[in-house]
Amino acid sequence: MQKNLSVDSPNSIFAEHGFEVIRDFVSSDILSLFAYYVQMMGGEDWEHDTGKVIGGEEGAWANRYGDWFSEALMLKNQPQVEAITGLSLLPTYSYLRIYGSNSVLPLHTDRDSCEVSVSMTVDYDSDHIWPLWSNSLSGQLGSFILDRGDALVYRGNRLPHMRNEFTTGKYWVQSFAHYVDANGSFADHKFDRRDKLGDPSVNSREITIEL
């Protein structure tokens, strides 16, 4: 059930901890469509990475910066994210990633275009949910179990976060949407300083690793 919050009444969980888990962040129909969309692309026009930068030597990631479906979903979900955070937001960019077996995500924070971020599980082939870890604003590290359609809304440029080695399956698909406070110090990062959304011209290899 979607929470009935207003921008003027921020969620106390997000305000206190800098994050909140949202179950069933999108409808089952949208989630199913998203999963089919990823399958049908079959890796076309993806950035492919391998090696220690991404995790284990056997790990492999495929990435799409500014993917059209992801950017459209970022706009659709913006009112909900504003309600959760209590902020008026500007969209910056989306990111779509397929993690391969043995992938590892080192502890890191994101760049300033990720002032408010949403990380949502799209699909996976795994025997178990692959947990992600994040600090709270107080510095306490905790783990989060996100099944298909579940999302973490978090302060991406402030909270260190990570994933341990993915050893329980073949692949994991994660979608990311990033925003900035329209009244904050990073408002000039709107559209990630692109002319428009849906423009994948920024080299994804220059983008700070995602949750």
Side-chain angles (χ1 to χ4, degrees):
M1 179 182 298
Q2 183 169 321
K3 296 172 182 273
N4 184 19
L5 300 172
S6 70
V7 173
D8 295 327
S9 303
N11 187 299
S12 60
I13 296 175
F14 182 87
E16 179 180 357
H17 299 291
F19 58 71
E20 184 175 0
V21 173
I22 308 298
R23 303 297 178 192
D24 300 319
F25 183 63
V26 299
S27 70
S28 58
D29 286 345
I30 289 178
L31 185 65
S32 178
L33 181 63
F34 203 171
Y36 279 124
Y37 171 79
V38 173
Q39 293 173 17
M40 290 179 67
M41 282 192 295
E44 183 178 355
D45 297 326
W46 292 69
E47 284 283 340
H48 294 275
D49 292 317
T50 57
K52 198 63 178 178
V53 172
I54 318 155
E57 293 181 359
E58 300 301 321
W61 293 0
N63 315 299
R64 281 181 68 93
Y65 171 93
D67 172 76
W68 287 1
F69 191 103
S70 302
E71 304 253 293
L73 194 59
M74 175 175 62
L75 291 177
K76 180 183 183 303
N77 292 332
Q78 182 174 328
Q80 186 178 355
V81 181
E82 289 180 328
I84 292 164
T85 62
L87 299 172
S88 296
L89 299 175
L90 297 171
T92 56
Y93 73 96
S94 68
Y95 212 61
L96 183 57
R97 168 162 285 159
I98 302 175
Y99 298 89
S101 181
N102 302 117
S103 294
V104 178
L105 189 66
L107 189 68
H108 70 284
T109 54
D110 298 325
R111 56 197 181 91
D112 289 333
S113 288
C114 311
E115 191 173 14
V116 173
S117 298
V118 180
S119 178
M120 183 184 75
T121 301
V122 177
D123 197 12
Y124 56 82
D125 183 342
S126 178
D127 295 332
H128 302 284
I129 303 296
W130 187 29
L132 60 88
W133 296 77
S134 177
N135 280 4
S136 66
L137 289 174
S138 64
Q140 184 175 359
L141 184 65
S143 64
F144 301 91
I145 302 299
L146 303 179
D147 207 339
R148 294 177 180 89
D150 295 341
L152 181 70
V153 180
Y154 63 104
R155 294 277 191 177
N157 67 338
R158 293 180 59 184
L159 302 184
H161 44 277
M162 61 171 285
R163 287 183 186 267
N164 292 319
E165 186 174 4
F166 178 45
T167 60
T168 60
K170 297 179 180 179
Y171 66 83
W172 193 278
V173 184
Q174 201 77 10
S175 171
F176 310 93
H178 302 292
Y179 309 86
V180 291
D181 184 348
N183 301 304
S185 303
F186 307 116
D188 62 328
H189 288 250
K190 179 183 178 181
F191 298 164
D192 206 22
R193 295 174 171 165
R194 295 172 290 170
D195 292 335
K196 62 181 180 179
L197 294 178
D199 180 1
S201 60
V202 177
N203 189 332
S204 65
R205 293 179 184 274
E206 298 176 358
I207 304 301
T208 303
I209 51 180
E210 311 292 328
L211 180 62

